[in-house]
Amino acid sequence: MRALTGLLLAALAGLAHAYTDPTLLAGLQALKPRLLSLGPHWSGALESWTCPTPPANSSAGEPCDPCGNEQWWGNWEHMACRSINTSYRFDQLANDGLLTHFHFSLTGVEGPAQTLHDLLCPLSAHLKEWDMKVDGLSGPLPAGTPACMPKLEEYDLSRNHMTGTIPAELGSMPVMNQFKVQGNKLVGTLPPELGQLKLLEWLRVFDNQLTGSIPDSYSALSGPLTQASLGGRRLPSSQHPISIGGNLFTGNLYPFAEALPQNTNVTLLPHMCGMIPSGILFAAGYDAYGSPGLGLPCPDEVAGGWPDVPDGF
């Protein structure tokens, strides 16, 4: 029995210190020179992507272990290999040796977003977080993300140089939790398909050039939605979960009638009108600066004249 217990403990220890999967290691080593070719800022961002890795945080007998034995970060910066069987909220588990986080925010790395996406695609079957905020990426939002990153929970390409429209296919990502593309040059309308993201909590599209109205399908987001930022940047973006401002939207906010966001941003929406849903009105950080029509009936609502108000009302 003691011998069996010893074998079991040894097996569990091995699970707790999973080294980098050999296929991932080969893929990362092939990825590095291709990333370096995208622009000069990648050199500094990838400075730690070298071998051998520090023995203290590497599996025994593994001279190159990017994932490492730590639960949170490994040996190579800006990437992590956390548990593939949990939400990112519960990542403090032994890693499985597979890529789950690609986090190069605030590094200034550049290049076409589609090219980066396609280079990363073969390694992204278990990717939960793709965070490239405040970098130098350009071009349209990538196509093919649902197929390349089916387990993606956080999509953050905010504060780059993105152009074009928001792909409708992003509405088919079943575990998407945070969608953040604020501070770009996106045009077109909000895809109704995003209303299918039943787990979406953060919707940040402010400071773009988006047009059209809020799709009725977004009423389905009311349950989980805690941040919806549609407006312009008047307060720090961290205060705005529902963020749509600073765009050219028309129509009203009625699709969010049942939403109870913790924070919201509906600033700089000069073409919107209609009454403000109470969940948005009383959310922390509420600000309707530059949105003079919000809180007033839309023209079609009073086309037949204003309703009579009883005396003493």
Side-chain angles (χ1 to χ4, degrees):
M1 178 64 71
R2 183 174 298 175
L4 179 60
T5 301
L7 290 173
L8 179 60
L9 290 174
L12 291 174
L15 289 174
H17 298 286
Y19 64 92
T20 306
D21 181 88
T23 301
L24 174 62
L25 175 58
L28 290 172
Q29 290 175 322
L31 177 64
K32 180 181 177 180
R34 303 189 72 177
L35 294 178
L36 290 172
S37 71
L38 296 179
H41 287 92
W42 283 98
S43 179
L46 297 173
E47 188 174 3
S48 66
W49 284 36
T50 60
C51 298
T53 50
N57 188 37
S58 300
S59 298
E62 298 299 326
C64 192
D65 186 7
C67 292
N69 291 329
E70 292 183 7
Q71 293 179 342
W72 203 246
W73 295 107
N75 289 310
W76 286 10
E77 293 181 352
H78 308 300
M79 56 151 283
C81 310
R82 302 171 193 164
S83 172
I84 64 173
N85 297 312
T86 60
S87 165
Y88 73 91
R89 287 194 176 95
F90 305 100
D91 272 337
Q92 296 184 27
L93 298 171
N95 77 67
D96 296 292
L98 298 169
L99 185 65
T100 58
H101 294 68
F102 196 79
H103 189 114
F104 279 80
S105 63
L106 300 166
T107 61
V109 294
E110 59 274 279
Q114 185 70 61
T115 301
L116 173 61
H117 173 279
D118 294 347
L119 290 175
L120 193 58
C121 184
L123 310 177
S124 299
H126 301 283
L127 198 68
K128 305 178 193 181
E129 178 199 35
W130 189 30
D131 189 341
M132 305 295 299
K133 62 177 172 286
V134 196
D135 282 326
L137 301 184
S138 59
L141 295 178
T145 303
C148 282
M149 305 175 181
K151 297 184 178 181
L152 195 65
E153 298 179 49
E154 180 180 355
Y155 181 114
D156 193 345
L157 296 182
S158 58
R159 306 288 177 203
N160 280 277
H161 307 287
M162 310 309 301
T163 57
T165 61
I166 298 175
E169 66 177 0
L170 294 177
S172 64
M173 303 191 69
V175 295
M176 178 84 82
N177 180 270
Q178 300 182 20
F179 180 65
K180 297 179 281 190
V181 293
Q182 70 269 20
N184 284 292
K185 300 177 182 178
L186 300 176
V187 298
T189 59
L190 290 172
E193 289 81 359
L194 294 189
Q196 302 169 15
L197 300 175
K198 303 303 184 183
L199 300 181
L200 190 68
E201 294 185 8
W202 291 30
L203 174 63
R204 290 184 174 178
V205 296
F206 62 92
D207 287 346
N208 280 289
Q209 301 168 22
L210 298 170
T211 57
S213 59
I214 309 301
D216 290 339
S217 61
Y218 285 31
S219 62
L221 303 175
S222 297
L225 201 63
T226 64
Q227 296 200 20
S229 300
L230 316 185
R233 185 165 54 121
R234 178 172 160 86
L235 294 175
S237 62
S238 61
Q239 298 183 26
H240 300 310
I242 290 188
S243 299
I244 62 171
N247 284 291
L248 302 174
F249 292 126
T250 55
N252 54 59
L253 295 173
Y254 299 163
F256 296 126
E258 302 297 324
L260 296 172
Q262 296 173 1
N263 310 88
T264 190
N265 175 1
V266 291
T267 61
L268 302 176
L269 294 168
H271 307 297
M272 295 197 76
C273 56
M275 306 313 289
I276 302 171
S278 59
I280 290 177
L281 185 62
F282 294 105
Y286 167 77
D287 188 355
Y289 169 80
S291 304
L294 290 179
L296 298 174
C298 291
D300 62 310
E301 295 176 313
V302 292
W306 285 75
D308 293 333
V309 179
D311 292 339
F313 181 78

